[in-house]
Amino acid sequence: MRAPVDNLPDAPLILGIESSCDETAVALLRAPHTVLGQALASQVRIHERFGGVVPEVASRAHLEHIDPLLTQALEKAGQTLSEVDAVAVTSGPGLLGAVLVGLSYAKALAWGLGVPLVGVHHLEAHVAAGLLHRPDLAFPFLALVVSGGHTSLYRVDAGLRFTELGRTIDDAAGEALDKGAKMMGLPYPGGPQVERLAANGDAKAVDFPRAWLDRSLNFSFSGLKTALRVHLEKTGATEADYPDIAASYQEAVVDVLATKALWAAERECLESLVVVGGVAANGRLRAVLEERATHAGCEVIVPPPSLCTDNAVMVAAAGAHMLAAGRVSPLTLDADARAPITTAARC
Ligand code: KG4
Ligand code: ZN
């Protein structure tokens, strides 16, 4: 059963739900881009002691948080549940058990309210955050999605149609930062920790490798991670050396991301680059991209950090684009831990 979309108001009230990894989030958005209220529960403190996200612990925490967060978000937005016109939810990719919590909850709400359900691809949602930040952005544009689970370059055409230009063939950039931080005894999530340490270090201190992969637009960070491990073992580095090591390690990640993003912009003749995902919160990445892109005549758009890391506003925003294009999901929609982005573009 699928609720009709043709009798939706011009500016529908969209409820967004995100639970694909370690943030439970609920948001209310008046389409296309007015955020009315949001509530978010981070599980970072819960997973910290394990040094990474534990899937079952994440699912249980989502179950505990999701209902109170909906109440909070509605209160902040000054809305009631009966005013919601559509429910948008992340249906993948992500941790399967975690995605299922949000998806089952969203399906029940959509069914109970008799409103359309919109299954959103997590990466599509990250890119929609860029459009929320810059609603007047013209298509097509280039998107660099760089998080703990993904590092991908997309050409994005009107109607949020994605063409993948490149992706990581092993670790994601955020994963490389998280694992590198762990090797230096820093807590999870490592990205912000590496950035903090790097602020007092010399980025030229250690010459870490960059995987250019024959100028392909794919990424690889596993060699860099190994290089860090070997460097730490060989030099017997101590805490005093960590700022230089962190700065050099961060620079290697940032250099590859920025260089390949600009290769992609040049090859596809795209003049705007949207950078989203948790790693987009990194100040050094923003600075390097802005410097190099301006030089290359490309505009860089990076939403504020709160919109870069996982949140539900981006899910509602992606839902708004999909609803406007008449793309809704059946209540039989399944969670897909490895959903390719093209699946979402066709649903
Ligand atoms: O998008 P996100 O919140 O969740 C995923 O979908 O993965 O991204 C989380 C990732 C983690 O790897 C985290 O270390 C990284 O984003 N991250 C950062 C920063 N803030 C978060 N990496 C570098 N610098 C930051 N400031
Ligand atoms: Zn994410």
Side-chain angles (χ1 to χ4, degrees), residues 20 122-123 126 147 150 277-278 308-310 314:
S20 65
H122 185 71
L123 301 189
H126 271 302
S147 71
H150 306 274
C308 286
T309 49
D310 287 351
M314 67 184 193

Side-chain angles (χ1 to χ4, degrees), residues 6-90:
D6 24 2
N7 55 0
L8 280 177
D10 285 347
L13 178 65
I14 302 176
L15 172 66
I17 297 176
E18 158 64 35
S19 71
S20 65
C21 190
D22 59 353
E23 311 271 350
T24 324
V26 178
L28 286 138
L29 179 96
R30 177 71 64 195
H33 40 69
T34 308
V35 181
L36 299 181
Q38 59 173 315
L40 186 142
S42 169
Q43 301 175 10
V44 164
R45 296 280 85 83
I46 300 174
H47 299 292
E48 205 175 37
R49 67 196 141 116
F50 305 109
V53 181
V54 180
E56 188 178 330
V57 174
S59 307
R60 286 172 189 269
H62 286 308
L63 264 179
E64 199 181 306
H65 290 138
I66 200 158
D67 199 52
L69 287 174
L70 172 63
T71 307
Q72 280 176 38
L74 284 166
E75 268 172 25
K76 284 187 188 168
Q79 305 288 321
T80 60
L81 202 49
S82 60
E83 287 167 297
V84 168
D85 295 306
V87 182
V89 61
T90 304

Side-chain angles (χ1 to χ4, degrees), residues 164-177:
E164 188 180 276
L165 305 173
R167 65 185 316 170
T168 181
I169 56 170
D170 43 54
D171 292 344
E175 194 180 353
L177 290 166

